[in-house]
Amino acid sequence: MGKIDIDAMAIEDGEVEAGQLELEKLSRPLGQIFHEIDKSISDAIEKDAVRPVQLSWLPTDTARKSIFRPIADYQLEGTYTNFKRTSAWGTLTVGGPPLNMVDEGILLALLLEISKARALSIKVNYKSVCKSLNISYQTKNRRRVKFAIKKLRMVYFDFEQKDGKYTIKNVLKEAGGDNEYSHIELDAWFFDKFLKNEITMLDLTFRQSLKGDVTKALYRFLSSHRGTQSYRLETLVLALNMDIDRETRKNRDTLKRSFAQLKTKKFCSFRFKDDLFFEIRVL
C-alpha cells in the first residue's frame, strides 16, 4: 500500500473549503441583486399606481385594465402574449392562458384560504373553494377549480423598467395535486406587492351575490378607486376588458344594468348621460 500524502490531502480539503466559501460569497450578492431589481421595480410601480386591486394596478390616462375578461369559458381563445401595458415606470407584459371572471373568483377564494392559513404555501381542498364561491361541490365545479389553478400557475408577468431592469413573476409559484385538492404556493414578492390587500378590499360574499360577469368586473374596478369618479362608456369597455367589437348599444345597456345593480345593493351611486357615467361614488 503506498504512502498517503497527508499534506496533499490537507491542501485539497483546503481548496474545497476555499471554493465553497467563494461560492457562498458569490451567491449572497446574486441574491441581493435579485432583491434590488425586484425592489427597484416594485418601488417604481408603487410611485405610479394607486393602491393595487385585483391585478389591475397599472394606471393609464383614464383607467386600469384587468386581465380577467367578463366572458364565458367557451369564448376564451388564444393567449395574453400580446397583453402589454406601458406606464410611467415601464412596461408590463402578461403571457399565458386567458382568464375570465370565473378564474378571478377562484383566485379570490384561494387568497381567502391563504389568509386563513397565514401562509403562502398551503394545501387547499376544492370543497373549501366551492363553499367560498357558494357553488355546489360537484365534479364539474371541482374540475373548473383545478383548471383555474393550473391556468393561474402558467400565467406570467414580465415587469421591465425603462432602464432595462426586469423581473418575471407568476401568481402561483408552485401548484400540484389531484381531483380533490391542490398544494399551492404563492410568489412572496407578487403577493406582497399586489395581492395581500385584495381580501380586505373585496367582499367575496358580496361579489358572489352579483349577477353577471360585467357587474363583478365593475365591482372590482370601482373598489380600486377612491373619490368621485367619471368614465366614458368606451373607457369602461376597455378597462373591464369587455368585447370592443360588440355593438355600442349592447355594451351601454350592459353597463347601465351593472351600475343599477350595484346602486340597488347600495354599493355606489352614479348618474348617466350621453355615454358618460359620472358622479360615481362608492358608498
Side-chain angles (χ1 to χ4, degrees), residues 112-152:
L112 182 60
E113 295 301 312
I114 288 284
S115 177
K116 289 177 182 177
R118 296 188 177 185
L120 295 181
S121 180
I122 64 169
K123 176 181 178 180
V124 58
N125 193 299
Y126 303 154
K127 187 174 184 178
S128 299
V129 175
C130 290
K131 183 177 180 181
S132 295
L133 296 175
N134 196 28
I135 58 177
S136 60
Y137 184 59
Q138 56 178 291
T139 300
K140 179 181 69 174
N141 291 334
R142 289 198 300 270
R143 287 175 178 169
R144 188 59 181 85
V145 172
K146 178 182 177 181
F147 183 50
I149 290 173
K150 294 173 78 171
K151 287 204 293 180
L152 289 168

Side-chain angles (χ1 to χ4, degrees), residues 152-267:
L152 289 168
R153 175 64 185 94
M154 290 185 283
V155 172
Y156 69 84
F157 298 79
D158 181 353
F159 303 86
E160 181 161 349
Q161 292 187 132
K162 290 183 177 179
D163 62 5
K165 291 180 180 177
Y166 74 95
T167 189
I168 298 175
K169 298 292 180 179
N170 302 83
V171 179
L172 298 182
K173 186 177 180 181
E174 298 289 345
D178 58 23
N179 293 327
E180 300 291 336
Y181 71 90
S182 282
H183 287 284
I184 63 169
E185 181 179 353
L186 267 68
D187 181 275
W189 182 86
F190 200 89
F191 176 81
D192 181 62
K193 299 305 176 186
F194 305 116
L195 297 176
K196 67 181 180 182
N197 292 321
E198 292 183 10
I199 288 299
T200 58
M201 294 186 69
L202 294 177
D203 185 332
L204 190 54
T205 302
F206 179 79
R207 180 188 182 278
Q208 290 307 111
S209 74
L210 300 175
K211 295 180 180 179
D213 286 342
V214 172
T215 307
K216 292 174 182 176
L218 182 62
Y219 165 61
R220 176 250 301 139
F221 178 79
L222 294 179
S223 294
S224 67
H225 294 72
R226 294 294 176 265
T228 304
Q229 305 291 323
S230 62
Y231 302 104
R232 296 211 58 84
L233 173 66
E234 58 268 25
T235 298
L236 288 173
V237 169
L238 289 171
L240 303 184
N241 216 341
M242 297 170 65
D243 185 357
I244 59 175
D245 295 324
R246 193 183 184 207
E247 287 182 45
T248 300
R249 174 183 59 82
K250 291 183 178 180
N251 280 333
R252 180 191 301 117
D253 291 345
T254 298
L255 281 167
K256 287 175 70 175
R257 286 196 300 269
S258 294
F259 266 103
Q261 185 182 165
L262 290 174
K263 183 178 181 179
T264 299
K265 288 181 173 287
K266 303 187 185 304
F267 173 75

